[in-house]
Amino acid sequence: MTKGLLSVIVAVYNVKSYLAECINSICNQTYSDMEIILIDDGSNDGSGDICDSYARKDSRIRVIHQENKGLSGARNAGLDIMHGEYITIVDSDDYVLPNAFSEAISVIEKYNLDSCGFGAFRSGTGGDGTGNISLSLEEEHDARLRDCFTKEKTVNWGNVFKSSLWKDIRYPVDHVHEDSAIAHYIIDRIQRCGSIDKKYYYYRKNPTGICQSSAMKPQTRYDYILACKDRLNYAIYKNICIAQARSILIKSILSYLTSYYGNDLAMDEYYKKATNLLREQRKLLYDSSLLNTKYKLYLLCFDRIDFVHRFGAKISLWSKKIRDAK
């Protein structure tokens, strides 16, 4: 492992329109001691060729071409070959302002931190903020972990980590909500972290991206059930916030059922697994304060008067389509 080296992992799949802007923003960082790992995950729009053209111009860039394995499989490929002391993940349709990595690593080294984050923006030129540094140290570790279990905290873009945090941690392949699936492991390992009050990361709301295009798909929401179930198991293992983590799992199942009913799907194995899990979990201790009125109603009606949830799901799906059309 090379001292000071930053591994930048970028999963690439059919983002030809945005890819050059993303790669340029990384190459032009004021922190230059980097390896930039571009994983072409079976793109068919020429994105792989763009990766190769940048690699020919910049020796810091390494390109992996692989069959499509999804975002998790692509990121895992980068994690498997990285050499840096530090790691950051950038989505290929986003970009990062020039000082982001240098300032984050400077804060990590100054305060001996495990990670440092910075803000994101979706409009304007970015760079807003005071630049003030906030620290959360060892004594706040348990509070951060509780937030993970009760407030669905995750780890994603806009962070630089010590790569040791990621040892033996990999994203679940073939699932979305990959960040939620591994967040509790990473957060538990972080003892000292910081945050810079500056908006350095441009997070693009890409209508063809995974999050936007699959938000109401039952399979997407089922993947989130799996992430929440794993998080509950970890809460049980740590003996912390078990009732709260169970409430988040119950909420994720009810959200899945909203999508399932709203799309008028026929009963399948995922529906059976989800409903059986709900029957099991609602018998155990959970924190009802984490469920809003709608979810409390749906839970009360489950296996009794399901038409209430089915009707509500139709309204929810119709409302979302109206919002998306504006």
Side-chain angles (χ1 to χ4, degrees):
M1 184 177 291
T2 304
K3 179 69 174 177
L5 182 69
L6 170 65
S7 297
V8 185
I9 295 178
V10 185
V12 177
Y13 179 70
N14 289 351
V15 285
K16 184 177 180 180
S17 298
Y18 310 119
L19 186 55
E21 185 175 32
C22 174
I23 298 175
N24 284 332
S25 78
I26 298 170
C27 292
N28 294 331
Q29 288 290 308
T30 56
Y31 193 90
S32 60
D33 191 8
M34 295 187 292
E35 59 171 3
I36 304 167
I37 304 173
L38 307 178
I39 306 96
D40 169 30
D41 192 43
S43 298
N44 55 26
D45 69 340
S47 292
D49 294 334
I50 294 175
C51 293
D52 289 336
S53 68
Y54 273 91
R56 287 191 290 270
K57 295 183 289 185
D58 193 325
S59 62
R60 298 174 298 174
I61 296 177
R62 306 165 66 186
V63 180
I64 299 173
H65 297 283
Q66 65 181 30
E67 294 182 1
N68 182 255
K69 296 181 180 179
L71 183 57
S72 292
R75 287 181 178 174
N76 287 345
L79 289 168
D80 287 342
I81 67 166
M82 69 172 187
H83 294 98
E85 180 182 2
Y86 306 110
I87 176 177
T88 190
I89 294 173
V90 178
D91 286 346
S92 53
D93 51 1
D94 298 340
Y95 64 84
V96 192
L97 298 188
N99 293 333
F101 300 156
S102 61
E103 293 200 17
I105 291 175
S106 176
V107 171
I108 289 174
E109 293 182 342
K110 180 177 180 179
Y111 297 102
N112 189 26
L113 305 180
D114 297 308
S115 68
C116 182
F118 39 82
F121 63 101
R122 281 184 169 172
S123 61
T125 58
D128 301 337
T130 63
N132 291 340
I133 298 167
S134 300
L135 300 179
S136 180
L137 306 180
E138 290 92 340
E139 61 271 18
E140 297 179 59
H141 169 271
D142 288 352
R144 294 193 299 269
L145 191 56
R146 283 194 294 270
D147 279 350
C148 176
F149 292 130
T150 62
K151 299 179 182 177
E152 303 175 75
K153 295 288 185 180
T154 187
V155 289
N156 44 28
W157 31 260
N159 280 282
V160 174
F161 305 92
K162 284 188 175 177
S163 58
S164 57
L165 296 174
W166 292 78
K167 180 176 173 59
D168 301 324
I169 292 178
R170 293 296 182 268
Y171 292 99
V173 179
D174 295 329
H175 293 172
V176 296
H177 294 291
E178 64 289 329
D179 294 313
S180 296
I182 56 91
H184 41 291
Y185 300 112
I186 298 294
I187 291 173
D188 192 23
R189 290 183 178 184
I190 294 173
Q191 296 298 316
R192 299 169 61 87
C193 61
S195 177
I196 305 170
D197 181 27
K198 280 283 189 178
K199 294 181 178 179
Y200 284 140
Y201 189 102
Y202 180 74
Y203 176 60
R204 191 184 307 276
K205 190 174 182 180
N206 182 359
T208 62
I210 292 175
C211 292
Q212 300 302 319
S213 62
S214 62
M216 274 296 287
K217 291 182 179 179
Q219 185 58 54
T220 300
R221 296 192 179 190
Y222 187 83
D223 286 349
Y224 190 58
I225 292 175
L226 298 180
C228 292
K229 184 180 179 182
D230 190 80
R231 190 172 294 190
L232 170 60
N233 289 337
Y234 199 69
I236 294 171
Y237 167 70
K238 298 292 293 186
N239 194 27
I240 181 174
C241 297
I242 297 172
Q244 290 74 23
R246 180 170 288 115
S247 294
I248 301 303
L249 173 58
I250 288 172
K251 187 167 71 170
S252 73
I253 301 171
L254 294 171
S255 175
Y256 161 81
L257 290 176
T258 297
S259 178
Y260 179 89
Y261 294 145
N263 285 283
D264 277 330
L265 297 181
M267 185 181 299
D268 59 15
E269 61 175 310
Y270 297 109
Y271 174 83
K272 293 177 183 177
K273 289 178 180 179
T275 51
N276 285 336
L277 184 60
L278 184 56
R279 292 184 186 101
E280 169 192 297
Q281 295 300 318
R282 70 174 178 176
K283 296 176 183 177
L284 303 173
L285 181 65
Y286 63 91
D287 185 350
S288 62
S289 70
L290 296 181
L291 303 178
N292 63 26
T293 301
K294 178 178 70 174
Y295 283 127
K296 288 177 182 177
L297 175 62
Y298 290 164
L299 185 59
L300 178 65
C301 294
F302 177 68
D303 271 348
R304 296 182 178 91
I305 44 176
D306 286 340
F307 73 86
V308 173
H309 196 165
R310 293 177 184 274
F311 179 76
K314 292 291 186 182
I315 297 298
S316 293
L317 186 62
W318 177 77
S319 298
K320 185 180 187 306
K321 288 180 178 179
I322 295 296
R323 292 195 303 271
D324 292 345
K326 291 181 179 180

Coordinates of all heavy atoms in Angstrom, one line a residue, residues 247-322:
S247 N -38.3 -1.7 13.2 CA -39.3 -0.8 12.7 C -38.9 -0.4 11.3 O -39.8 -0.3 10.4 CB -39.4 0.4 13.6 OG -40.0 0.1 14.8
I248 N -37.7 -0.1 11.0 CA -37.2 0.3 9.7 C -37.4 -0.9 8.7 O -37.9 -0.7 7.6 CB -35.7 0.7 9.7 CG1 -35.5 1.9 10.7 CG2 -35.3 1.0 8.3 CD1 -36.3 3.1 10.3
L249 N -37.2 -2.1 9.2 CA -37.5 -3.3 8.3 C -39.0 -3.4 8.0 O -39.3 -3.6 6.9 CB -37.0 -4.6 9.0 CG -37.3 -5.9 8.3 CD1 -36.8 -5.9 6.9 CD2 -36.8 -7.1 9.1
I250 N -39.8 -3.2 9.0 CA -41.2 -3.3 8.8 C -41.7 -2.2 7.8 O -42.5 -2.5 6.9 CB -42.0 -3.1 10.2 CG1 -41.8 -4.4 11.0 CG2 -43.5 -2.8 9.9 CD1 -42.3 -4.3 12.4
K251 N -41.1 -1.0 8.0 CA -41.5 0.1 7.0 C -41.0 -0.3 5.6 O -41.8 0.0 4.7 CB -40.8 1.4 7.5 CG -41.2 2.6 6.7 CD -40.8 3.9 7.3 CE -39.3 4.1 7.3 NZ -38.9 5.5 7.7
S252 N -39.9 -0.9 5.5 CA -39.4 -1.3 4.1 C -40.3 -2.3 3.5 O -40.6 -2.3 2.3 CB -38.0 -1.8 4.2 OG -37.9 -3.1 4.8
I253 N -40.9 -3.2 4.3 CA -41.8 -4.2 3.7 C -43.1 -3.6 3.3 O -43.6 -3.9 2.2 CB -42.1 -5.3 4.8 CG1 -40.8 -6.0 5.1 CG2 -43.0 -6.4 4.2 CD1 -40.9 -7.0 6.3
L254 N -43.6 -2.7 4.1 CA -44.8 -2.0 3.8 C -44.6 -1.1 2.5 O -45.5 -1.0 1.7 CB -45.3 -1.1 4.9 CG -45.7 -1.9 6.2 CD1 -45.9 -0.9 7.4 CD2 -47.0 -2.7 5.9
S255 N -43.4 -0.5 2.4 CA -43.1 0.3 1.2 C -43.1 -0.6 -0.1 O -43.6 -0.3 -1.1 CB -41.8 1.0 1.3 OG -41.4 1.6 0.2
Y256 N -42.5 -1.8 0.1 CA -42.5 -2.8 -1.0 C -44.0 -3.2 -1.4 O -44.3 -3.2 -2.6 CB -41.8 -4.1 -0.6 CG -42.1 -5.3 -1.4 CD1 -41.5 -5.5 -2.7 CD2 -43.0 -6.2 -1.0 CE1 -41.8 -6.6 -3.4 CE2 -43.3 -7.4 -1.7 CZ -42.7 -7.5 -3.0 OH -43.0 -8.6 -3.7
L257 N -44.8 -3.4 -0.4 CA -46.2 -3.8 -0.7 C -46.9 -2.7 -1.4 O -47.8 -2.9 -2.2 CB -46.9 -4.2 0.6 CG -46.4 -5.5 1.2 CD1 -47.1 -5.7 2.6 CD2 -46.7 -6.7 0.3
T258 N -46.6 -1.4 -1.1 CA -47.2 -0.3 -1.8 C -46.9 -0.4 -3.2 O -47.8 -0.2 -4.1 CB -46.7 1.0 -1.2 OG1 -47.1 1.1 0.2 CG2 -47.3 2.2 -1.9
S259 N -45.6 -0.6 -3.6 CA -45.3 -0.7 -5.0 C -45.9 -2.0 -5.6 O -46.4 -1.9 -6.8 CB -43.7 -0.8 -5.1 OG -43.3 -1.0 -6.4
Y260 N -45.9 -3.1 -4.9 CA -46.5 -4.3 -5.4 C -48.0 -4.1 -5.7 O -48.5 -4.5 -6.8 CB -46.3 -5.4 -4.4 CG -46.9 -6.7 -4.7 CD1 -46.1 -7.7 -5.4 CD2 -48.2 -7.1 -4.4 CE1 -46.6 -8.9 -5.8 CE2 -48.7 -8.3 -4.7 CZ -47.9 -9.2 -5.4 OH -48.4 -10.5 -5.8
Y261 N -48.7 -3.6 -4.8 CA -50.2 -3.3 -5.0 C -50.4 -2.3 -6.1 O -51.3 -2.4 -6.9 CB -50.8 -2.9 -3.7 CG -50.9 -4.0 -2.6 CD1 -50.7 -3.6 -1.3 CD2 -51.0 -5.3 -2.9 CE1 -50.8 -4.6 -0.2 CE2 -51.0 -6.3 -1.9 CZ -50.9 -5.9 -0.6 OH -50.9 -6.8 0.4
G262 N -49.6 -1.2 -6.0 CA -49.8 -0.2 -7.0 C -49.6 -0.6 -8.4 O -50.2 0.0 -9.4
N263 N -48.7 -1.6 -8.6 CA -48.4 -2.1 -10.0 C -49.3 -3.3 -10.4 O -49.1 -3.9 -11.4 CB -46.9 -2.4 -10.1 CG -46.1 -1.2 -10.2 OD1 -46.0 -0.6 -11.3 ND2 -45.4 -0.8 -9.1
D264 N -50.2 -3.7 -9.5 CA -51.1 -4.8 -9.8 C -50.4 -6.1 -10.2 O -50.8 -6.7 -11.2 CB -52.1 -4.4 -11.0 CG -53.3 -3.6 -10.4 OD1 -53.7 -3.8 -9.3 OD2 -53.8 -2.8 -11.2
L265 N -49.4 -6.5 -9.5 CA -48.6 -7.6 -9.8 C -49.3 -8.9 -9.3 O -50.0 -8.9 -8.3 CB -47.2 -7.5 -9.2 CG -46.4 -6.3 -9.8 CD1 -45.0 -6.4 -9.1 CD2 -46.3 -6.4 -11.3
A266 N -49.0 -10.0 -10.0 CA -49.5 -11.3 -9.5 C -48.6 -11.8 -8.4 O -47.4 -11.4 -8.3 CB -49.4 -12.3 -10.7
M267 N -49.1 -12.6 -7.5 CA -48.4 -13.1 -6.4 C -47.2 -13.9 -6.9 O -47.3 -14.7 -7.7 CB -49.3 -14.0 -5.5 CG -48.6 -14.5 -4.2 SD -49.7 -15.5 -3.2 CE -51.1 -14.4 -2.9
D268 N -46.0 -13.6 -6.3 CA -44.8 -14.3 -6.7 C -44.0 -14.7 -5.4 O -44.4 -14.4 -4.3 CB -43.9 -13.5 -7.6 CG -43.5 -12.2 -7.1 OD1 -43.6 -12.0 -5.8 OD2 -43.0 -11.3 -7.9
E269 N -42.8 -15.3 -5.6 CA -42.0 -15.7 -4.4 C -41.6 -14.6 -3.6 O -41.4 -14.7 -2.3 CB -40.8 -16.5 -4.9 CG -39.8 -15.8 -5.7 CD -38.6 -16.6 -6.1 OE1 -38.0 -17.2 -5.1 OE2 -38.2 -16.7 -7.3
Y270 N -41.3 -13.4 -4.2 CA -40.8 -12.3 -3.4 C -42.0 -11.7 -2.5 O -41.7 -11.4 -1.3 CB -40.3 -11.2 -4.3 CG -39.1 -11.6 -5.1 CD1 -39.3 -11.8 -6.5 CD2 -37.9 -11.7 -4.5 CE1 -38.2 -12.2 -7.3 CE2 -36.8 -12.1 -5.3 CZ -36.9 -12.3 -6.7 OH -35.9 -12.7 -7.4
Y271 N -43.2 -11.7 -3.1 CA -44.3 -11.3 -2.3 C -44.5 -12.2 -1.1 O -44.8 -11.8 0.0 CB -45.6 -11.3 -3.2 CG -46.9 -11.0 -2.4 CD1 -47.2 -9.7 -2.1 CD2 -47.7 -12.0 -2.0 CE1 -48.4 -9.4 -1.4 CE2 -48.8 -11.7 -1.3 CZ -49.2 -10.4 -1.0 OH -50.3 -10.2 -0.3
K272 N -44.4 -13.5 -1.3 CA -44.6 -14.5 -0.3 C -43.6 -14.3 0.8 O -43.9 -14.3 2.0 CB -44.6 -15.9 -0.8 CG -45.8 -16.2 -1.7 CD -45.6 -17.6 -2.3 CE -46.8 -17.9 -3.3 NZ -46.6 -19.3 -3.9
K273 N -42.3 -14.1 0.4 CA -41.2 -13.9 1.4 C -41.4 -12.6 2.2 O -41.2 -12.6 3.4 CB -39.9 -13.9 0.7 CG -39.4 -15.3 0.1 CD -38.1 -15.1 -0.6 CE -37.7 -16.5 -1.2 NZ -36.4 -16.4 -1.9
A274 N -41.8 -11.6 1.5 CA -42.0 -10.3 2.2 C -43.1 -10.4 3.2 O -43.0 -9.9 4.3 CB -42.3 -9.2 1.1
T275 N -44.3 -10.9 2.8 CA -45.4 -11.0 3.7 C -45.2 -11.9 4.9 O -45.6 -11.6 6.0 CB -46.7 -11.4 2.9 OG1 -46.4 -12.6 2.2 CG2 -47.1 -10.3 2.0
N276 N -44.5 -13.0 4.6 CA -44.1 -13.9 5.7 C -43.2 -13.2 6.7 O -43.3 -13.4 7.9 CB -43.5 -15.2 5.2 CG -44.5 -16.1 4.5 OD1 -45.7 -16.1 4.9 ND2 -44.0 -17.0 3.7
L277 N -42.3 -12.5 6.2 CA -41.3 -11.7 7.0 C -42.1 -10.7 7.9 O -41.8 -10.5 9.0 CB -40.2 -11.1 6.2 CG -39.1 -10.3 6.9 CD1 -38.4 -11.3 7.9 CD2 -38.2 -9.6 5.9
L278 N -43.1 -10.0 7.2 CA -43.9 -9.0 8.0 C -44.7 -9.7 9.1 O -44.7 -9.2 10.2 CB -44.8 -8.3 7.0 CG -45.6 -7.2 7.6 CD1 -44.7 -6.1 8.3 CD2 -46.4 -6.5 6.5
R279 N -45.2 -10.8 8.8 CA -46.0 -11.6 9.8 C -45.1 -11.9 11.0 O -45.5 -11.9 12.2 CB -46.6 -12.8 9.2 CG -47.7 -12.6 8.2 CD -48.3 -13.9 7.7 NE -49.3 -13.6 6.7 CZ -49.0 -13.8 5.4 NH1 -47.9 -14.2 5.0 NH2 -49.9 -13.4 4.5
E280 N -43.8 -12.3 10.7 CA -42.9 -12.7 11.8 C -42.4 -11.5 12.6 O -42.4 -11.5 13.8 CB -41.7 -13.3 11.1 CG -40.5 -13.6 11.9 CD -39.3 -13.9 11.1 OE1 -39.3 -15.0 10.5 OE2 -38.3 -13.2 11.1
Q281 N -42.1 -10.4 11.9 CA -41.5 -9.2 12.6 C -42.5 -8.4 13.4 O -42.2 -7.9 14.4 CB -40.8 -8.3 11.6 CG -39.6 -8.9 10.9 CD -38.5 -9.4 11.9 OE1 -38.2 -8.6 12.8 NE2 -38.0 -10.5 11.6
R282 N -43.8 -8.4 13.0 CA -44.8 -7.6 13.7 C -45.1 -8.2 15.0 O -45.7 -7.5 15.9 CB -46.0 -7.3 12.8 CG -46.9 -8.6 12.6 CD -48.1 -8.3 11.9 NE -49.0 -9.5 11.7 CZ -50.2 -9.4 11.1 NH1 -50.7 -8.3 10.8 NH2 -50.8 -10.5 10.9
K283 N -44.8 -9.5 15.2 CA -45.0 -10.1 16.5 C -44.0 -9.8 17.6 O -44.2 -10.0 18.8 CB -45.1 -11.6 16.3 CG -46.2 -12.2 15.5 CD -46.1 -13.7 15.3 CE -47.1 -14.2 14.3 NZ -47.0 -15.7 14.1
L284 N -42.9 -9.2 17.1 CA -41.7 -8.9 18.0 C -41.7 -7.4 18.3 O -42.5 -6.6 17.7 CB -40.4 -9.3 17.3 CG -40.4 -10.8 16.8 CD1 -39.1 -11.0 16.0 CD2 -40.4 -11.7 18.0
L285 N -40.9 -7.1 19.2 CA -40.8 -5.7 19.7 C -40.3 -4.8 18.6 O -39.2 -5.0 18.0 CB -39.9 -5.6 20.9 CG -39.8 -4.2 21.6 CD1 -41.1 -3.7 22.1 CD2 -38.7 -4.2 22.7
Y286 N -41.0 -3.7 18.3 CA -40.6 -2.7 17.4 C -41.0 -1.3 17.9 O -41.9 -1.2 18.8 CB -41.2 -2.9 16.0 CG -42.7 -2.8 15.9 CD1 -43.3 -1.6 15.6 CD2 -43.4 -4.0 16.0 CE1 -44.7 -1.6 15.4 CE2 -44.8 -3.9 15.9 CZ -45.4 -2.7 15.6 OH -46.8 -2.6 15.5
D287 N -40.4 -0.3 17.4 CA -40.7 1.1 17.8 C -41.7 1.7 16.9 O -41.3 2.2 15.8 CB -39.3 1.9 17.8 CG -39.5 3.3 18.4 OD1 -40.6 3.7 18.6 OD2 -38.5 3.9 18.6
S288 N -42.9 1.8 17.3 CA -44.0 2.3 16.4 C -43.8 3.8 16.1 O -44.4 4.3 15.2 CB -45.4 2.0 17.0 OG -45.5 2.7 18.3
S289 N -43.0 4.5 16.9 CA -42.9 5.9 16.7 C -42.1 6.2 15.4 O -42.2 7.4 14.9 CB -42.1 6.6 17.9 OG -40.7 6.2 17.9
L290 N -41.4 5.2 14.9 CA -40.7 5.4 13.6 C -41.6 5.2 12.4 O -41.1 5.3 11.3 CB -39.5 4.5 13.6 CG -38.4 4.8 14.6 CD1 -37.2 3.8 14.5 CD2 -37.9 6.2 14.6
L291 N -42.8 4.8 12.6 CA -43.8 4.6 11.5 C -44.7 5.8 11.5 O -45.3 6.1 12.5 CB -44.6 3.3 11.7 CG -43.8 2.0 11.9 CD1 -44.7 0.8 12.1 CD2 -42.9 1.7 10.6
N292 N -44.9 6.3 10.3 CA -45.9 7.4 10.2 C -47.3 6.9 10.2 O -47.5 5.6 10.2 CB -45.6 8.2 8.9 CG -45.8 7.5 7.6 OD1 -46.5 6.5 7.6 ND2 -45.1 7.9 6.6
T293 N -48.3 7.8 10.2 CA -49.7 7.4 10.4 C -50.1 6.4 9.3 O -50.8 5.4 9.5 CB -50.6 8.6 10.3 OG1 -50.2 9.5 11.4 CG2 -52.0 8.2 10.5
K294 N -49.6 6.6 8.0 CA -50.0 5.8 6.9 C -49.5 4.4 7.1 O -50.3 3.4 6.9 CB -49.4 6.4 5.6 CG -49.7 5.5 4.4 CD -49.2 6.2 3.1 CE -47.6 6.1 3.1 NZ -47.1 6.6 1.8
Y295 N -48.2 4.2 7.5 CA -47.7 2.9 7.7 C -48.3 2.2 8.9 O -48.5 1.0 8.9 CB -46.2 3.0 7.9 CG -45.4 3.2 6.5 CD1 -44.5 4.2 6.4 CD2 -45.7 2.3 5.5 CE1 -43.9 4.4 5.2 CE2 -45.0 2.5 4.3 CZ -44.1 3.5 4.1 OH -43.5 3.7 2.9
K296 N -48.6 2.9 9.9 CA -49.3 2.3 11.1 C -50.7 1.8 10.6 O -51.1 0.7 11.1 CB -49.5 3.4 12.2 CG -48.3 3.7 12.9 CD -48.5 4.8 14.0 CE -47.3 5.2 14.7 NZ -47.5 6.3 15.7
L297 N -51.4 2.5 9.8 CA -52.7 2.1 9.3 C -52.5 0.8 8.4 O -53.2 -0.2 8.6 CB -53.3 3.2 8.4 CG -54.6 2.8 7.7 CD1 -55.7 2.4 8.8 CD2 -55.1 3.9 6.9
Y298 N -51.5 0.8 7.5 CA -51.3 -0.3 6.6 C -50.9 -1.6 7.5 O -51.3 -2.7 7.1 CB -50.2 0.0 5.6 CG -50.5 1.0 4.6 CD1 -49.6 1.6 3.8 CD2 -51.9 1.3 4.3 CE1 -49.9 2.5 2.8 CE2 -52.2 2.2 3.4 CZ -51.2 2.8 2.6 OH -51.6 3.7 1.6
L299 N -50.1 -1.4 8.5 CA -49.7 -2.5 9.3 C -50.9 -3.1 10.1 O -51.1 -4.3 10.2 CB -48.6 -2.1 10.3 CG -48.0 -3.2 11.2 CD1 -47.4 -4.2 10.4 CD2 -47.0 -2.6 12.2
L300 N -51.8 -2.2 10.6 CA -53.0 -2.6 11.3 C -53.9 -3.4 10.3 O -54.5 -4.4 10.7 CB -53.7 -1.4 11.8 CG -55.0 -1.7 12.5 CD1 -54.8 -2.5 13.8 CD2 -55.7 -0.3 12.9
C301 N -54.0 -3.0 9.1 CA -54.9 -3.6 8.1 C -54.3 -4.9 7.5 O -55.0 -5.7 6.9 CB -55.2 -2.6 7.0 SG -56.1 -1.2 7.5
F302 N -53.0 -5.1 7.6 CA -52.3 -6.2 7.0 C -52.9 -7.6 7.5 O -53.1 -7.8 8.7 CB -50.8 -6.2 7.3 CG -50.1 -7.4 6.7 CD1 -49.9 -7.5 5.4 CD2 -49.5 -8.3 7.6 CE1 -49.2 -8.6 4.8 CE2 -48.9 -9.4 7.1 CZ -48.7 -9.6 5.7
D303 N -53.3 -8.4 6.5 CA -53.9 -9.7 6.8 C -55.3 -9.6 7.3 O -55.9 -10.6 7.8 CB -53.0 -10.6 7.7 CG -52.0 -11.4 6.9 OD1 -52.2 -11.5 5.7 OD2 -51.1 -12.0 7.5
R304 N -55.8 -8.4 7.3 CA -57.2 -8.2 7.9 C -58.1 -7.5 6.8 O -59.0 -8.2 6.3 CB -57.2 -7.3 9.1 CG -56.4 -8.0 10.3 CD -56.5 -7.0 11.5 NE -55.8 -7.6 12.7 CZ -54.5 -7.4 13.0 NH1 -53.8 -6.7 12.2 NH2 -54.0 -8.0 14.1
I305 N -57.8 -6.3 6.5 CA -58.5 -5.6 5.4 C -57.5 -5.0 4.5 O -57.3 -3.8 4.4 CB -59.4 -4.5 6.0 CG1 -58.7 -3.7 7.1 CG2 -60.7 -5.1 6.6 CD1 -59.6 -2.6 7.7
D306 N -56.8 -5.8 3.7 CA -55.7 -5.4 2.8 C -56.2 -4.4 1.7 O -55.3 -3.8 1.1 CB -55.1 -6.6 2.1 CG -54.2 -7.4 3.1 OD1 -53.8 -6.9 4.1 OD2 -54.0 -8.6 2.8
F307 N -57.5 -4.4 1.5 CA -57.9 -3.5 0.4 C -57.6 -2.0 0.7 O -57.4 -1.2 -0.2 CB -59.4 -3.6 0.1 CG -60.3 -3.1 1.2 CD1 -60.7 -1.7 1.2 CD2 -60.8 -3.9 2.2 CE1 -61.5 -1.2 2.1 CE2 -61.6 -3.4 3.2 CZ -62.0 -2.0 3.2
V308 N -57.4 -1.7 2.0 CA -57.1 -0.3 2.4 C -55.7 0.0 1.9 O -55.5 1.1 1.3 CB -57.1 -0.2 3.9 CG1 -56.6 1.2 4.4 CG2 -58.5 -0.4 4.5
H309 N -54.7 -0.9 2.0 CA -53.4 -0.7 1.5 C -53.4 -0.7 0.0 O -52.7 0.1 -0.6 CB -52.4 -1.8 2.1 CG -51.0 -1.4 1.9 ND1 -50.0 -2.1 2.6 CD2 -50.4 -0.5 1.1 CE1 -48.8 -1.6 2.2 NE2 -49.0 -0.6 1.4
R310 N -54.2 -1.6 -0.6 CA -54.2 -1.6 -2.1 C -54.7 -0.3 -2.6 O -54.2 0.2 -3.6 CB -55.1 -2.8 -2.5 CG -54.5 -4.2 -2.2 CD -55.4 -5.3 -2.6 NE -54.9 -6.6 -2.2 CZ -54.1 -7.3 -2.9 NH1 -53.7 -6.9 -4.1 NH2 -53.6 -8.5 -2.5
F311 N -55.8 0.2 -2.0 CA -56.3 1.5 -2.5 C -55.3 2.6 -2.3 O -55.1 3.4 -3.2 CB -57.6 1.8 -1.8 CG -58.2 3.1 -2.2 CD1 -58.9 3.2 -3.4 CD2 -58.2 4.2 -1.3 CE1 -59.5 4.4 -3.7 CE2 -58.7 5.4 -1.7 CZ -59.4 5.5 -2.9
G312 N -54.7 2.6 -1.1 CA -53.7 3.7 -0.8 C -52.5 3.6 -1.8 O -51.9 4.6 -2.2
A313 N -52.1 2.4 -2.2 CA -51.0 2.2 -3.1 C -51.3 2.8 -4.5 O -50.5 3.4 -5.1 CB -50.7 0.7 -3.2
K314 N -52.6 2.6 -4.9 CA -53.0 3.2 -6.2 C -52.9 4.7 -6.1 O -52.4 5.3 -7.1 CB -54.4 2.8 -6.5 CG -54.6 1.3 -6.8 CD -54.0 0.9 -8.1 CE -54.3 -0.5 -8.4 NZ -53.6 -0.9 -9.7
I315 N -53.3 5.3 -5.0 CA -53.2 6.7 -4.9 C -51.7 7.2 -4.9 O -51.4 8.2 -5.5 CB -53.9 7.2 -3.6 CG1 -55.4 6.8 -3.6 CG2 -53.7 8.7 -3.3 CD1 -56.2 7.5 -4.7
S316 N -50.9 6.5 -4.2 CA -49.5 6.8 -4.1 C -48.8 6.8 -5.4 O -48.0 7.7 -5.8 CB -48.7 5.9 -3.1 OG -49.2 6.0 -1.8
L317 N -49.1 5.7 -6.2 CA -48.5 5.6 -7.5 C -49.0 6.7 -8.5 O -48.2 7.3 -9.2 CB -48.8 4.2 -8.1 CG -48.1 3.8 -9.4 CD1 -46.6 3.9 -9.2 CD2 -48.5 2.5 -9.9
W318 N -50.2 7.0 -8.4 CA -50.8 8.0 -9.2 C -50.2 9.4 -8.9 O -49.9 10.1 -9.8 CB -52.3 8.0 -9.0 CG -53.0 9.1 -9.8 CD1 -53.3 9.1 -11.1 CD2 -53.5 10.3 -9.2 NE1 -54.0 10.3 -11.4 CE2 -54.1 11.1 -10.3 CE3 -53.5 10.9 -8.0 CZ2 -54.7 12.3 -10.1 CZ3 -54.1 12.1 -7.8 CH2 -54.7 12.8 -8.8
S319 N -50.1 9.6 -7.6 CA -49.5 10.9 -7.2 C -48.1 11.1 -7.6 O -47.6 12.1 -8.0 CB -49.6 11.0 -5.6 OG -50.9 11.0 -5.2
K320 N -47.3 10.0 -7.6 CA -45.9 10.0 -8.0 C -45.8 10.3 -9.5 O -45.0 11.1 -9.9 CB -45.2 8.7 -7.7 CG -43.7 8.8 -8.0 CD -43.0 7.5 -7.7 CE -41.5 7.6 -7.8 NZ -41.1 8.2 -9.2
K321 N -46.7 9.7 -10.3 CA -46.6 9.9 -11.7 C -47.0 11.4 -12.0 O -46.4 12.0 -12.9 CB -47.6 9.0 -12.4 CG -47.2 7.5 -12.4 CD -48.2 6.7 -13.1 CE -47.7 5.2 -13.2 NZ -48.7 4.3 -13.9
I322 N -47.9 12.0 -11.3 CA -48.2 13.4 -11.5 C -47.0 14.3 -11.1 O -46.7 15.2 -11.9 CB -49.4 13.8 -10.6 CG1 -50.7 13.0 -11.0 CG2 -49.6 15.3 -10.6 CD1 -51.2 13.4 -12.4

